[in-house]
Amino acid sequence: MFEKIQKGVYNLPLDISNSSSNLKAAHNFIKSGEVLIFRNAVNKNLVNSIKAHLIALGRSSYPNYHAISTTAPNFHRLNDEDERAFVKGRFQQFNYFPWNQDYFNFFKRFKFIFELKNALSDLPINFALETSSNSEFTAKLSFQFYPAGGGYLVKHADPVDKHQLAICTLVMSNYGEHFNSGGTFMEMDGKKVFVERFCKEGDIIFNNAQIPHGVDKIDENHYMNWLEYKGRWMGLFANNKFSHVQSVSDSIAL
């Protein structure tokens, strides 16, 4: 039904949302551990405009950290092996929430992606996009920059629970053009599969949150300069629990 790229990795049809049977099949693929790639989901020019904006923001303002609550602002943080992180890594993260404004109107522009992620997780399509004081989860859009010279994220597994089955990531850098070694991987049959190497800017990757995955060090031999912004970018369309919620487990380093 889906075009096979290699063992465990398939292309997702562009008209996936128009067919309930295809959505169900895709859900079952993800549940069984297969990886699906949705081609050209986001225009390349838009991807580059977002990166240019984030680079300007990162160079002109200090990083900070805020717990996830209904009063949290949009913010960017520097995770340079931060001891507060459940999973060790080295990257910069720019976070956006549905209740705040932004120049790109992200949650309106990318609503279809959150809806598809929810459908593939067998959730109501508006799940976590609308929040109240009683909500346990919120949609969150995070853009992450992994600097050349050693940006990474250790192998880990994310929880599959009432808020998600599928992880949804936006490819924002081309392997062989923006970085030449390392990158995101999924562990399948005991081997690392570098899925981004089958992708281009604007593609979206869906995978089961519990598949062991991470980011191998980006161009490890390059001199690392955070403000140079040379390295790998990606976007993460997430359903995250609010900081007070204890009923759902956290990500686990492996």
Side-chain angles (χ1 to χ4, degrees):
M1 181 179 296
F2 304 135
E3 180 188 1
K4 183 176 180 179
I5 300 171
Q6 73 147 52
K7 184 179 180 181
V9 183
Y10 297 83
N11 281 331
L12 193 64
L14 291 176
D15 62 348
I16 183 70
S17 297
N18 298 329
S19 169
S20 58
S21 61
N22 279 354
L23 279 172
K24 183 64 175 178
H27 167 81
N28 291 334
F29 267 52
I30 293 170
K31 191 173 182 179
S32 67
E34 313 285 9
V35 176
L36 300 178
I37 299 173
F38 190 33
R39 301 288 186 185
N40 302 310
V42 179
N43 182 275
K44 178 181 176 180
N45 291 332
L46 176 58
V47 171
N48 289 327
S49 293
I50 293 170
K51 288 193 291 186
H53 171 70
L54 297 177
I55 289 170
L57 180 64
R59 285 174 173 163
S60 62
S61 60
Y62 289 112
N64 208 335
Y65 171 80
H66 297 270
I68 300 178
S69 72
T70 54
T71 59
N74 298 332
F75 68 94
H76 69 96
R77 62 177 293 202
L78 201 66
N79 183 350
D80 195 352
E81 302 185 341
D82 191 333
E83 293 181 357
R84 295 169 295 184
F86 293 108
V87 180
K88 188 177 179 181
R90 179 175 286 121
F91 58 93
Q92 188 173 13
Q93 185 182 69
F94 298 79
N95 298 296
Y96 292 85
F97 300 98
W99 51 82
N100 296 320
Q101 293 185 323
D102 65 80
Y103 293 112
F104 291 88
N105 205 356
F106 282 129
F107 286 90
K108 181 177 181 180
R109 185 185 296 270
F110 292 143
K111 185 179 181 183
F112 76 100
I113 298 175
F114 282 101
E115 289 178 343
L116 180 55
K117 167 188 161 67
N118 286 335
L120 293 175
S121 295
D122 200 22
L123 293 167
I125 61 171
N126 285 324
F127 180 83
L129 286 167
E130 300 174 358
T131 60
S132 69
S133 58
N134 296 320
S135 298
E136 292 183 285
F137 305 98
T138 180
K140 184 180 78 170
L141 176 58
S142 296
F143 299 104
Q144 296 182 178
F145 167 69
Y146 293 79
Y152 76 97
L153 185 63
V154 299
K155 183 173 72 172
H156 65 285
D158 295 311
V160 168
D161 209 305
K162 53 189 174 182
H163 67 306
Q164 69 178 7
L165 166 66
I167 290 180
C168 174
T169 55
L170 170 64
V171 177
M172 300 179 70
S173 297
N174 294 329
Y175 176 76
E177 178 183 356
H178 302 111
F179 66 101
N180 296 298
S181 64
T184 190
F185 66 86
M186 318 285 177
E187 191 169 87
M188 305 174 73
D189 295 330
K191 297 180 180 180
K192 290 181 178 179
V193 177
F194 290 88
V195 181
E196 280 178 323
R197 299 183 187 182
F198 307 119
C199 301
K200 292 293 184 182
E201 287 176 297
D203 292 349
I204 285 180
I205 301 169
F206 292 98
N207 64 276
N208 188 310
Q210 289 186 330
I211 292 179
H213 59 282
V215 179
D216 271 1
K217 289 185 176 180
I218 303 299
D219 293 342
E220 189 172 5
N221 294 324
H222 185 84
Y223 174 76
M224 189 167 68
N225 179 348
W226 285 95
L227 294 178
E228 183 184 32
Y229 284 100
K230 178 178 175 59
R232 170 187 174 265
W233 286 89
M234 55 85 73
L236 177 63
F237 297 83
N239 292 337
N240 283 165
K241 65 180 181 179
F242 284 104
S243 58
H244 67 274
V245 174
Q246 303 296 320
S247 60
V248 175
S249 59
D250 298 306
S251 299
I252 301 173
L254 302 174

